[in-house]
Amino acid sequence: MAIIDRQTATLALAHALSAAERGLPVFPLSATKLPALRSPHRDEVPPARCRGACGLPGHGVHDATTHPAAVRALFAAAPRATGYGIACGRPPHHLIGIDLDIDATHGNDSVAALHQLALQHLFTIPATVTVITPSGGRHLWLTGPSGIDVPNSAGRLAPGIDVRGAGGYLVGPGSVTTHGSYRLAPGTAHLPPAPCPRALLRLLTPPRRPHHPTGSPSRTGHEGRGLVQFVLAAHEGQRNTRLFWAACRAYENGFGDALADALTDAAVRTGLSEQEARAAIASAARLTTKRP
């Protein structure tokens, strides 16, 4: 277990400021890799869906900034921060994180799976910034074009491959967690984040969904309320599964986008974070959309 002390916190700020100078929006993380600042809306029932419009810190990835004074202010408000998060999908880099997990228990080889995807879809994995995680996994940093939002996903591309896109974040190199530190892979520190190959970008982004009404408003409303109640009834251990199932049913019936906010609110009330909820809903949207 890593030792958390004042020097660790000082180094975390220094690393965060260095990242911000390179145009990467940052915010403080705790040793658990979660945002270090508590939400100012934590005691509100139901929880407010504020993304920082209130002007107070404590909105996780929505606090991320590249302004040095603002970065210092965030870390001053979070003296026990031991690392920093880098917001993905934000200008100027529009960062996309490819998280290659190590899972020896289940025999998943995420690196081999990514190379297999590259062979199958005819793209080359570019040389880019690579961060080594405490478990021995890898975070590959890629950049995306402006105007295209890459959703977060877990295991959708292949087992052990997670994607961090719009609304998500990566743990920055130099961060210290209870399981160890994040560090740059040798030979990649001087590299800029490489552009995401077009073929890979197509795998990461949902196709445009044609809009056409299905069913009557009363039918949609009735089914939507039922799906929301199904999510609200989830116990710990069921939350992701119930949310994903409900989102799939909503998208299959043509009103997934309209119900996404209500499903997110319901999932947050059961204990999921907004980021986790929206990632699950985005995965459901992708999996239920038929590609031409």
Side-chain angles (χ1 to χ4, degrees), residues 201-251:
L201 188 64
R202 285 195 293 270
L203 295 176
L204 300 178
T205 52
R208 294 184 181 276
R209 297 177 63 87
H211 176 73
H212 47 80
T214 58
S216 65
S218 60
R219 175 177 175 271
T220 298
H222 176 73
E223 291 187 4
R225 285 193 297 272
L227 293 174
V228 169
Q229 289 300 317
F230 180 75
V231 173
L232 286 171
H235 300 294
E236 187 172 359
Q238 303 175 329
R239 296 175 297 196
N240 266 306
T241 302
R242 280 183 172 246
L243 173 61
F244 182 76
W245 184 91
C248 284
R249 300 293 81 73
Y251 278 104

Side-chain angles (χ1 to χ4, degrees), residues 129-130 184-192:
V129 179
T130 303
L184 286 166
T188 70
H190 69 287
L191 298 173

Side-chain angles (χ1 to χ4, degrees), residues 14-245:
H15 285 297
L17 286 170
S18 178
E21 288 176 0
R22 300 195 301 275
L24 297 168
V26 298
F27 63 102
L29 295 181
S30 69
T32 61
K33 302 188 294 185
L34 294 174
L37 290 170
R38 298 181 67 187
S39 169
H41 309 291
R42 60 186 177 274
D43 296 326
E44 298 177 10
V45 180
R49 296 190 64 250
C50 177
R51 298 185 176 184
C54 66
L56 298 174
H59 297 84
V61 70
H62 303 295
D63 289 340
T65 178
T66 59
H67 299 290
V71 173
R72 291 182 182 277
L74 287 174
F75 275 79
R80 294 185 62 80
T82 63
Y84 63 103
I86 300 174
C88 295
R90 297 262 295 270
H93 298 290
H94 303 281
L95 197 65
I96 302 167
I98 306 298
D99 183 355
L100 304 175
D101 289 332
I102 299 297
D103 188 358
T105 303
H106 297 90
N108 292 334
D109 188 339
S110 55
V111 175
L114 181 60
H115 282 283
Q116 181 60 39
L117 284 171
L119 287 173
Q120 181 181 353
H121 296 277
L122 304 177
F123 65 86
T124 300
I125 302 168
T128 190
V129 179
T130 303
V131 177
I132 302 176
T133 72
S135 66
R138 297 288 190 274
H139 290 171
L140 307 183
W141 292 14
L142 302 173
T143 62
S146 62
I148 296 181
D149 287 340
V150 172
N152 298 283
S153 64
R156 192 194 63 79
L157 280 181
I161 300 181
D162 297 343
V163 177
R164 301 289 178 262
Y169 63 89
L170 291 166
V171 179
S175 297
V176 176
T177 71
T178 52
H179 296 291
S181 61
Y182 286 70
R183 65 189 191 280
L184 286 166
T188 70
H190 69 287
L191 298 173
C196 183
R198 288 184 177 272
L200 177 57
L201 188 64
R202 285 195 293 270
L203 295 176
L204 300 178
T205 52
R208 294 184 181 276
R209 297 177 63 87
H211 176 73
H212 47 80
T214 58
S216 65
S218 60
R219 175 177 175 271
T220 298
H222 176 73
E223 291 187 4
R225 285 193 297 272
L227 293 174
V228 169
Q229 289 300 317
F230 180 75
V231 173
L232 286 171
H235 300 294
E236 187 172 359
Q238 303 175 329
R239 296 175 297 196
N240 266 306
T241 302
R242 280 183 172 246
L243 173 61
F244 182 76
W245 184 91

